[in-house]
Short mmCIF file of all heavy atoms in Angstrom, two decimals:
data_model
loop_
_atom_site.label_atom_id
_atom_site.label_comp_id
_atom_site.label_asym_id
_atom_site.label_seq_id
_atom_site.Cartn_x
_atom_site.Cartn_y
_atom_site.Cartn_z
N SER A 11 -34.61 -21.71 49.90
CA SER A 11 -35.60 -20.74 50.38
C SER A 11 -36.83 -20.72 49.47
O SER A 11 -36.77 -21.08 48.30
CB SER A 11 -35.00 -19.34 50.47
OG SER A 11 -34.97 -18.74 49.20
N HIS A 12 -37.91 -20.27 50.05
CA HIS A 12 -39.17 -20.13 49.31
C HIS A 12 -38.98 -19.20 48.10
O HIS A 12 -39.49 -19.47 47.01
CB HIS A 12 -40.27 -19.60 50.23
CG HIS A 12 -41.50 -19.17 49.51
ND1 HIS A 12 -42.35 -20.08 48.92
CD2 HIS A 12 -42.00 -17.94 49.25
CE1 HIS A 12 -43.34 -19.42 48.33
NE2 HIS A 12 -43.15 -18.13 48.53
N HIS A 13 -38.25 -18.09 48.31
CA HIS A 13 -38.02 -17.13 47.23
C HIS A 13 -37.32 -17.79 46.04
O HIS A 13 -37.77 -17.64 44.90
CB HIS A 13 -37.16 -15.96 47.71
CG HIS A 13 -37.84 -15.03 48.65
ND1 HIS A 13 -38.93 -14.27 48.31
CD2 HIS A 13 -37.58 -14.75 49.95
CE1 HIS A 13 -39.31 -13.55 49.34
NE2 HIS A 13 -38.50 -13.83 50.36
N ILE A 14 -36.24 -18.47 46.31
CA ILE A 14 -35.45 -19.09 45.22
C ILE A 14 -36.30 -20.10 44.46
O ILE A 14 -36.30 -20.11 43.23
CB ILE A 14 -34.18 -19.77 45.79
CG1 ILE A 14 -33.27 -18.74 46.49
CG2 ILE A 14 -33.43 -20.51 44.69
CD1 ILE A 14 -32.76 -17.63 45.60
N LYS A 15 -37.04 -20.93 45.18
CA LYS A 15 -37.88 -21.93 44.51
C LYS A 15 -38.96 -21.27 43.66
O LYS A 15 -39.21 -21.68 42.52
CB LYS A 15 -38.52 -22.86 45.55
CG LYS A 15 -37.52 -23.79 46.18
CD LYS A 15 -38.17 -24.66 47.25
CE LYS A 15 -37.13 -25.57 47.88
NZ LYS A 15 -37.70 -26.42 48.92
N ALA A 16 -39.60 -20.22 44.18
CA ALA A 16 -40.66 -19.53 43.44
C ALA A 16 -40.09 -18.82 42.21
O ALA A 16 -40.68 -18.88 41.12
CB ALA A 16 -41.37 -18.53 44.35
N TRP A 17 -38.94 -18.15 42.37
CA TRP A 17 -38.34 -17.45 41.24
C TRP A 17 -37.89 -18.41 40.16
O TRP A 17 -38.08 -18.17 38.97
CB TRP A 17 -37.16 -16.61 41.72
CG TRP A 17 -37.54 -15.50 42.66
CD1 TRP A 17 -38.74 -14.88 42.77
CD2 TRP A 17 -36.67 -14.87 43.60
NE1 TRP A 17 -38.69 -13.91 43.74
CE2 TRP A 17 -37.43 -13.88 44.27
CE3 TRP A 17 -35.35 -15.06 43.97
CZ2 TRP A 17 -36.89 -13.06 45.25
CZ3 TRP A 17 -34.81 -14.24 44.96
CH2 TRP A 17 -35.58 -13.26 45.59
N THR A 18 -37.26 -19.52 40.58
CA THR A 18 -36.79 -20.52 39.62
C THR A 18 -37.96 -21.10 38.83
O THR A 18 -37.88 -21.23 37.59
CB THR A 18 -36.01 -21.64 40.35
OG1 THR A 18 -34.90 -21.05 41.03
CG2 THR A 18 -35.52 -22.69 39.39
N LEU A 19 -39.03 -21.42 39.51
CA LEU A 19 -40.21 -21.96 38.85
C LEU A 19 -40.81 -20.94 37.88
O LEU A 19 -41.15 -21.28 36.74
CB LEU A 19 -41.26 -22.40 39.88
CG LEU A 19 -42.57 -22.93 39.31
CD1 LEU A 19 -42.33 -24.20 38.47
CD2 LEU A 19 -43.56 -23.21 40.43
N ALA A 20 -40.94 -19.70 38.31
CA ALA A 20 -41.52 -18.65 37.46
C ALA A 20 -40.67 -18.43 36.21
O ALA A 20 -41.20 -18.29 35.10
CB ALA A 20 -41.68 -17.35 38.24
N LEU A 21 -39.35 -18.40 36.37
CA LEU A 21 -38.47 -18.24 35.21
C LEU A 21 -38.61 -19.41 34.25
O LEU A 21 -38.67 -19.22 33.03
CB LEU A 21 -37.01 -18.09 35.66
CG LEU A 21 -36.65 -16.76 36.33
CD1 LEU A 21 -35.27 -16.85 37.00
CD2 LEU A 21 -36.69 -15.62 35.32
N HIS A 22 -38.68 -20.60 34.79
CA HIS A 22 -38.85 -21.79 33.95
C HIS A 22 -40.19 -21.74 33.21
O HIS A 22 -40.26 -21.99 32.01
CB HIS A 22 -38.75 -23.06 34.81
CG HIS A 22 -38.79 -24.31 34.01
ND1 HIS A 22 -37.67 -24.83 33.39
CD2 HIS A 22 -39.81 -25.14 33.69
CE1 HIS A 22 -38.01 -25.92 32.73
NE2 HIS A 22 -39.30 -26.13 32.91
N GLN A 23 -41.26 -21.39 33.93
CA GLN A 23 -42.58 -21.34 33.32
C GLN A 23 -42.68 -20.28 32.22
O GLN A 23 -43.22 -20.54 31.14
CB GLN A 23 -43.65 -21.06 34.38
CG GLN A 23 -43.91 -22.22 35.30
CD GLN A 23 -44.89 -21.86 36.40
OE1 GLN A 23 -44.99 -20.71 36.84
NE2 GLN A 23 -45.61 -22.86 36.87
N VAL A 24 -42.16 -19.09 32.48
CA VAL A 24 -42.28 -18.03 31.48
C VAL A 24 -41.44 -18.35 30.25
O VAL A 24 -41.83 -18.04 29.12
CB VAL A 24 -41.92 -16.64 32.08
CG1 VAL A 24 -40.41 -16.44 32.23
CG2 VAL A 24 -42.53 -15.53 31.23
N ALA A 25 -40.32 -19.02 30.44
CA ALA A 25 -39.47 -19.37 29.30
C ALA A 25 -40.09 -20.49 28.46
O ALA A 25 -39.72 -20.66 27.30
CB ALA A 25 -38.07 -19.76 29.77
N ASP A 26 -41.01 -21.24 29.06
CA ASP A 26 -41.70 -22.29 28.30
C ASP A 26 -42.85 -21.75 27.46
O ASP A 26 -43.40 -22.47 26.63
CB ASP A 26 -42.25 -23.36 29.26
CG ASP A 26 -41.19 -24.37 29.67
OD1 ASP A 26 -40.13 -24.41 29.02
OD2 ASP A 26 -41.41 -25.11 30.64
N LEU A 27 -43.22 -20.48 27.67
CA LEU A 27 -44.30 -19.88 26.90
C LEU A 27 -43.77 -19.37 25.56
O LEU A 27 -42.61 -18.96 25.46
CB LEU A 27 -44.94 -18.73 27.67
CG LEU A 27 -45.61 -19.08 28.98
CD1 LEU A 27 -46.09 -17.80 29.68
CD2 LEU A 27 -46.77 -20.03 28.76
N SER A 28 -44.62 -19.37 24.59
CA SER A 28 -44.27 -18.79 23.29
C SER A 28 -44.15 -17.29 23.47
O SER A 28 -45.04 -16.64 24.02
CB SER A 28 -45.36 -19.14 22.29
OG SER A 28 -45.09 -18.52 21.07
N GLY A 29 -43.05 -16.75 23.01
CA GLY A 29 -42.82 -15.32 23.17
C GLY A 29 -42.14 -14.73 21.96
O GLY A 29 -42.10 -15.32 20.89
N VAL A 30 -41.59 -13.55 22.16
CA VAL A 30 -40.89 -12.81 21.11
C VAL A 30 -39.44 -12.68 21.52
O VAL A 30 -39.15 -12.30 22.66
CB VAL A 30 -41.52 -11.42 20.90
CG1 VAL A 30 -40.74 -10.62 19.88
CG2 VAL A 30 -42.99 -11.54 20.51
N THR A 31 -38.54 -13.01 20.60
CA THR A 31 -37.12 -12.87 20.88
C THR A 31 -36.58 -11.68 20.10
O THR A 31 -36.79 -11.57 18.90
CB THR A 31 -36.35 -14.15 20.49
OG1 THR A 31 -36.90 -15.24 21.22
CG2 THR A 31 -34.87 -14.02 20.81
N CYS A 32 -35.91 -10.80 20.81
CA CYS A 32 -35.30 -9.61 20.20
C CYS A 32 -33.79 -9.78 20.33
O CYS A 32 -33.23 -9.58 21.40
CB CYS A 32 -35.79 -8.36 20.93
SG CYS A 32 -35.15 -6.83 20.24
N LYS A 33 -33.17 -10.17 19.26
CA LYS A 33 -31.72 -10.42 19.27
C LYS A 33 -30.95 -9.11 19.20
O LYS A 33 -31.51 -8.05 18.90
CB LYS A 33 -31.35 -11.33 18.12
CG LYS A 33 -32.05 -12.69 18.21
CD LYS A 33 -31.39 -13.70 17.33
CE LYS A 33 -32.09 -15.03 17.42
NZ LYS A 33 -31.74 -15.81 18.56
N VAL A 34 -29.65 -9.19 19.45
CA VAL A 34 -28.81 -8.00 19.48
C VAL A 34 -28.87 -7.24 18.15
O VAL A 34 -29.05 -6.04 18.13
CB VAL A 34 -27.35 -8.37 19.83
CG1 VAL A 34 -26.44 -7.16 19.73
CG2 VAL A 34 -27.28 -8.98 21.22
N LYS A 35 -28.74 -7.95 17.06
CA LYS A 35 -28.76 -7.30 15.75
C LYS A 35 -30.12 -7.54 15.10
O LYS A 35 -30.28 -8.40 14.24
CB LYS A 35 -27.64 -7.83 14.86
CG LYS A 35 -26.27 -7.42 15.35
CD LYS A 35 -25.20 -7.81 14.38
CE LYS A 35 -23.86 -7.33 14.91
NZ LYS A 35 -22.79 -7.50 13.95
N SER A 36 -31.11 -6.77 15.55
CA SER A 36 -32.45 -6.87 14.98
C SER A 36 -33.08 -5.48 14.95
O SER A 36 -32.67 -4.59 15.70
CB SER A 36 -33.31 -7.85 15.77
OG SER A 36 -33.41 -7.44 17.11
#
């Protein structure tokens, strides 16, 4: 479906960006 393809792409793209990770013990 269009939704699944768009969501999968968006998740992949955002995860490729430099971001901030907040781990459980932080």
Side-chain angles (χ1 to χ4, degrees):
S11 80
H12 168 71
H13 290 295
I14 299 299
K15 289 178 181 179
W17 295 336
T18 300
L19 178 62
L21 288 167
H22 185 82
Q23 288 175 331
V24 77
D26 278 345
L27 297 175
S28 176
V30 176
T31 302
C32 182
K33 299 197 181 279
V34 175
K35 292 187 179 188
S36 59

